[in-house]
């Protein structure tokens, strides 16, 4: 489940204040204004990483290994999206993602870049188009080292180490996922 | 007793180890079996009884452990299980492995059971009436022996003139070139013990061999909540440490299948060994055998005692699991 930025409202307010403080001089000098569009924690890849933590298995001794500890992050990927208006009808969308790190996975920091343009078709309607691209932010699952006693020590997919798949084959199932790299929005607004 | 007469005695006492106990002690007629094993080849495959090779569902008679261990992936692939058994006699009996009542020969039952545990394994059938050497397939091999070789008690194993069939099996177990899963016997005696004045000399010959596994039967699959007991008919490990260290037990839930006896315990271990071999593709038969011994459970057994249960109840999921992971 995506962790929206609700409970950390205080931090959100602080970020907005920080933005207002930092953006004000720029707006004065270049007549550009920068607005905070969104701030949230979590992403589809964060959710996916969290999902990998479901389940577990017994070792040969019978002791239980839970996946949760491998796929838990103390800091969930935070995204800040901003819009810098450069003309009355166009703006640059940009933002940052902090990434997150668990013992057996990582989500890399990300950078969002894009633009927004709008056209007023008549006094009551407008058409806007925005395109944004995300650079980085990939989810990478890390392997474990499994000791099978006399049968050897292998680099394995942590989640599949106790299954029937050959240890070396389990590495094929390590998760390597990229975020959605391109977003395209087309909006038509009619006021009546 | 001369060597020749001893050979005859052994052949005449070839006994399958299924239980309906009445039939467990019945010797099949070698001539009758030979007549039905056509072609004189060493491998006689029954073409009349379909094998449930495509049935990959976990059945109620299987250990929960099997279901827990089965995941998408291999289930015995790359390993050959050779069932040395009766595939040619006229003796058939009924049972149900969860896919409907069937009436089959002993070997057809044990073959079906092994194939249900390890559905991706290659299954070969070797009719034991031929007496010819058991060939090994390329790659990893498991031999299933749900029969015994009985004759008058008191001989030394060295006095036995083995047929090429058993000689090859004993050799494989000695050299560690195949996992040999041997039904312990249904006489409620220690492995190799005297019953009715006779002994299973195949048991005796396999004692101390690196890849021999003696398989006893539990009346149920054990859990920590409902611990299992040795089935009333099953042979037990006894006091010999060499047997204890190579003795495993598994549940034979005859109340669900209508099939009782350590004959139906050995194929479960054969299937487990095949699955382990399919996961650890570089493992030797000795390593596969030891993996089963090292991961057997004692906490699922009532009043665990190595002289009864040997190493304990085989656990497929633990045999596949790491010792440690980080």
């Amino acid at each position: 489940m995506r962790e929206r930025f609700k409970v950390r409202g205080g931090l959100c307010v602080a970020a907005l204040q920080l933005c207002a403080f930092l953006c004000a001089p720029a707006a004065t000098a270049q007549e550009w204004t920068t607005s905070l569009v969104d701030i949230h924690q979590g992403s589809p890849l964060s959710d996916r990483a969290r999902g990998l933590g479901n389940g577990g298995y017994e070792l040969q001794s019978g002791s239980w290994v839970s996946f949760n500890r491998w796929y838990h992050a103390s800091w969930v990927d935070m995204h800040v999206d901003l819009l810098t208006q450069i003309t009355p009808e166009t703006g640059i969308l940009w933002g940052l993602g902090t990434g997150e790190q668990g013992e057996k996975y990582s989500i890399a920091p990300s950078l969002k870049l894009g633009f927004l343009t709008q056209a007023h078709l008549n006094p009551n309607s407008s058409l806007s188009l925005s395109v944004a691209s995300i650079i980085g932010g990939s989810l990478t699952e890390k392997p474990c080292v499994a000791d099978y006693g006399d049968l050897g020590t292998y680099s394995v997919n942590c989640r599949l180490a106790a299954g029937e798949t050959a240890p070396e084959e389990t590495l094929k199932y390590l998760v390597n996922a990229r975020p959605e790299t391109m977003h395209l929005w087309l909006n038509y607004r009619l006021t009546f | 007793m001369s060597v020749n007469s001893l050979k005859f005695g052994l052949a005449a006492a070839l006994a399958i180890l299924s239980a309906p106990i009445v039939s467990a002690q019945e010797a099949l007629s070698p001539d009758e079996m030979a007549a039905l094993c056509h072609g004189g080849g060493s491998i006689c495959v029954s073409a009349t009884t379909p094998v449930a090779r495509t049935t990959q569902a976990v059945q109620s008679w299987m250990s929960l452990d099997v279901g827990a261990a089965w995941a998408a992936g291999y289930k015995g692939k790359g390993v050959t299980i050779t069932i040395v058994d009766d595939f040619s006699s006229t003796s058939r009996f009924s049972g149900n492995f969860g896919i409907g009542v069937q009436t089959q020969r002993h070997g057809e039952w044990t073959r079906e059971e092994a194939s249900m545990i390890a559905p991706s394994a290659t299954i070969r059938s070797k009719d034991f009436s031929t007496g010819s050497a058991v060939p090994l397939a390329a790659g990893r091999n498991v031999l299933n022996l749900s029969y015994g070789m009985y004759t008058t008690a008191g001989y030394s194993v060295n006095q036995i003139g083995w047929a090429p069939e058993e000689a090859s099996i004993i050799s494989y177990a000695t050299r560690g070139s195949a996992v040999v899963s041997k039904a312990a016997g249904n006489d409620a005696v220690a492995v190799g013990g005297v019953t009715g004045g006779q002994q299973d000399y195949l048991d005796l010959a396999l004692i101390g061999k690196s890849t021999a596994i003696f398989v006893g039967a539990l009346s149920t699959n054990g859990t920590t909540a409902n611990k299992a007991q040795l089935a009333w008919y099953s042979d037990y490990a006894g006091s010999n440490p060499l047997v204890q260290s190579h003795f495993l037990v598994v549940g034979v839930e005859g109340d669900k299948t209508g099939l009782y006896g350590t004959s139906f315990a050995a194929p479960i271990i054969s299937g487990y060994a095949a699955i382990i071999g399919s996961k650890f593709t570089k493992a030797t038969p000795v390593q596969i055998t030891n993996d089963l011994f090292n991961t057997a459970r004692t906490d699922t057994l009532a009043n665990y005692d190595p002289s009864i249960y040997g190493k304990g109840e085989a656990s497929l999921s633990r045999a596949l699991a790491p010792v440690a992971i980080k």
Side-chain angles (χ1 to χ4, degrees), chain A residues 58 60 62 145 147 150 161 163-164, chain B residues 70 74 279 287 322-324 326:
Chain A
E58 286 185 343
Q60 286 193 5
V145 176
D147 173 11
D150 291 344
E164 296 180 17
Chain B
W70 274 14
Y74 302 110
K279 171 165 181 168
Q287 289 174 322
V323 175
K326 59 182 179 181

Side-chain angles (χ1 to χ4, degrees), chain B:
Chain B
M1 182 180 285
S2 71
V3 172
N4 285 340
S5 62
L6 189 56
K7 278 183 181 174
F8 176 78
L10 279 170
L14 193 74
I16 55 179
L17 299 176
S18 64
I21 299 302
V22 177
S23 64
Q25 294 300 318
E26 289 176 355
L28 299 171
S29 159
D31 292 336
E32 185 179 53
M33 290 188 292
L36 291 167
C37 185
H38 302 292
S42 60
I43 299 175
C44 303
V45 181
S46 168
T48 56
T49 305
V51 180
R53 297 296 307 280
T54 57
T55 302
Q56 298 196 7
V58 176
Q59 302 292 340
S60 63
W61 53 268
M62 295 179 183
S63 167
L64 293 175
D65 203 39
V66 175
W70 274 14
Y74 302 110
K75 297 181 174 73
K77 187 179 180 183
V79 180
T80 300
I81 303 175
T82 300
I83 309 291
V84 185
D85 212 309
D86 166 31
F87 293 98
S88 59
S89 80
T90 56
S91 174
R92 292 178 172 86
F93 50 94
S94 297
N96 185 349
F97 273 137
I99 54 174
V101 175
Q102 294 172 284
T103 301
Q104 304 189 102
R105 296 183 181 92
H106 189 272
E108 292 159 350
W109 278 117
T110 55
R111 181 178 65 191
E112 182 168 89
E113 186 181 24
S115 71
M116 291 178 79
I117 296 289
S120 299
T122 299
I123 309 287
R124 282 184 171 186
S125 307
K126 166 74 170 69
D127 194 282
F128 63 16
S129 68
T130 65
S132 58
V134 180
L136 295 184
R140 281 143 288 141
N141 284 270
V142 178
L143 304 183
N144 188 83
L145 313 178
S146 290
Y147 70 99
M149 297 291 282
Y150 289 85
T151 194
T152 307
Y155 294 104
S156 158
V157 171
N158 295 331
Q159 292 178 276
I160 307 297
W162 293 108
E165 185 170 68
E166 282 68 36
S168 64
I169 292 168
I170 295 164
S171 169
Y172 299 145
T174 304
R175 300 199 319 253
S177 46
V179 176
V180 177
S181 177
K182 168 73 171 70
N186 299 322
D187 302 302
V189 299
V191 167
V194 179
T195 176
Q198 296 199 319
Q199 284 178 287
D200 180 352
Y201 282 85
L202 187 51
D203 269 352
L204 292 172
L206 291 172
I207 292 173
K209 303 299 187 277
S210 62
T211 54
I213 305 173
F214 301 105
V215 190
L218 300 169
S219 51
T220 59
N221 291 298
T223 66
T224 51
N226 293 299
K227 296 179 189 293
Q229 293 186 320
L230 198 72
W232 62 273
Y233 54 79
S234 177
D235 284 7
Y236 47 87
S239 58
N240 185 343
L242 291 176
V243 176
Q244 290 180 7
S245 63
H246 281 243
F247 190 94
L248 292 173
V249 286
V250 294
V252 176
E253 300 197 338
D255 55 329
K256 295 174 180 170
T257 63
L259 301 166
Y260 296 86
T262 56
S263 276
F264 304 108
I268 294 173
I269 291 297
S270 294
Y272 287 4
I275 290 171
I276 296 166
S278 73
K279 171 165 181 168
F280 300 103
T281 54
K282 295 173 186 169
T284 65
V286 173
Q287 289 174 322
I288 293 170
T289 305
N290 289 337
D291 188 35
L292 281 165
F293 293 142
N294 293 338
T295 55
R297 298 184 67 161
T298 58
D299 59 344
T300 57
L301 301 171
N303 304 314
Y304 169 73
D305 179 342
S307 68
I308 297 173
Y309 300 111
K311 295 293 287 183
E313 183 174 10
S315 170
L316 178 58
S317 61
R318 291 195 177 180
L320 295 171
V323 175
I325 188 164
K326 59 182 179 181

